[in-house]
Amino acid sequence: MFAVRRLNVETAKRAFSSSAANATKVAVLGAAGGIGQPLALTLKQNELISHLSLYDIVNGPGVAADLDHIDIDGKVTGYTPDNDGLKHAITDATIIVIPAGVPRKPGMTRDDLFNTNAGIVRDLANAAAQYAPKAHMAIISNPVNSTVPIVSEIFKKHKVYDPKRIFGVTTLDVVRASRFASQMKGTSTKKEKITVVGGHSGVTIIPLLSQTSSNFTDDELKALTHRIQFGGDEVVKAKAGSGSATLSMSYAAARFVNSLLRALKGESGIIEPAYVRSPLFESKGLEYFASNVELCHDGVGKIHDLGPLNQYEKQLLEAALPELKKNIAKGVDFVHK
């Protein structure tokens, strides 16, 4: 696991000063939950983080106390809503990661989570806009297709909106795609580097399998695409109502945070998928879209286009765009209702 190997941060560490002026605080909001705890554990092992700040409505200080016993340098603090805990948790944060919310249960889609999670994300975004307006926001809470627009609209209301600093974390889609393709073809996951674009739920997830080095039959292509799009359902079903994809999501989120930290420290050439404000389909009325993004010291750098698509992928794109447009509108309308 990349975290145990200390995330291969030697290049970035050479550019990193240990002075207080360069201290890097990462806040996890929802840190006592199914994603939050393993994510916090992984981030504790990241030597680019000097202060790990953990917040949840319950047990934030308990998770922090537990992690603070690990023999890795770095400050760990924990908070609940008491005594302005959220304000203290996020003030001066470089990155705020939001996995807070309820998990999926059997039969639920990400969109079914909207009514509960939208309010949670709205309230956390309001706090971030007030107390950490320059933080980079990494949104995990589903449905990401809608929660990223919610955060953006809240920041616009507070007049602190910077689209380069707001990300929907879609890394799990490429992690799954690599794993599932390697299982199907009997190859190493290192060989299967697959671009996934669109959104972060169901038919909005578009794996660009034609751009890989592996060849797939039509049946394999359809089966693999469906598994990537609905991989979360496998975990929800296997956990039999006790949760959703928490461990794989925390792994993917930690990978994204590490990449963003390295880019913010000045390392170049770092590309991760992310759901961001994008020009790619603005002409079709879509303000947000997931694609490969080159991260930079400001956050979002170059947004890569999709590259050549085969006929099947064009059909997937056509199916995804109207659904994604509805998801975005739902998030925007929630803030302004």
Side-chain angles (χ1 to χ4, degrees), residues 241-282:
S242 65
S244 58
T246 55
L247 300 177
S248 53
M249 183 65 246
S250 66
Y251 169 91
R255 167 176 146 176
F256 177 81
V257 170
N258 182 61
S259 292
L260 181 55
L261 283 168
R262 289 163 54 204
L264 295 177
K265 300 296 183 186
E267 190 174 337
S268 61
I270 299 173
I271 297 173
E272 287 285 353
Y275 179 69
V276 298
R277 172 74 181 267
S278 171
L280 294 183
F281 291 93
E282 279 186 332

Side-chain angles (χ1 to χ4, degrees), residues 102-143:
V102 299
R104 274 204 297 163
K105 296 180 180 178
M108 292 177 68
T109 65
R110 287 183 176 88
D111 205 47
D112 292 329
L113 303 177
F114 181 85
N115 289 334
T116 298
N117 287 356
I120 293 171
V121 171
R122 175 200 58 206
D123 294 345
L124 295 174
N126 267 312
Q130 293 177 66
Y131 305 123
K134 296 296 185 182
H136 296 265
M137 307 293 293
I139 314 304
I140 298 171
S141 305
N142 279 316

Side-chain angles (χ1 to χ4, degrees), residues 121-190:
V121 171
R122 175 200 58 206
D123 294 345
L124 295 174
N126 267 312
Q130 293 177 66
Y131 305 123
K134 296 296 185 182
H136 296 265
M137 307 293 293
I139 314 304
I140 298 171
S141 305
N142 279 316
V144 165
N145 293 355
S146 301
T147 54
V148 167
I150 288 172
V151 173
S152 296
E153 292 304 306
I154 293 294
F155 273 56
K156 289 176 186 177
K157 276 191 166 186
H158 287 270
K159 302 188 187 310
V160 293
Y161 177 59
D162 181 351
K164 290 186 175 183
R165 296 175 181 265
I166 299 176
F167 304 84
V169 180
T170 61
T171 312
L172 180 55
D173 296 327
V174 300
V175 168
R176 282 180 174 146
S178 175
R179 176 63 173 165
F180 297 166
S182 72
Q183 289 175 323
M184 176 176 280
K185 304 306 287 187
T187 57
S188 168
T189 55
K190 294 178 181 179

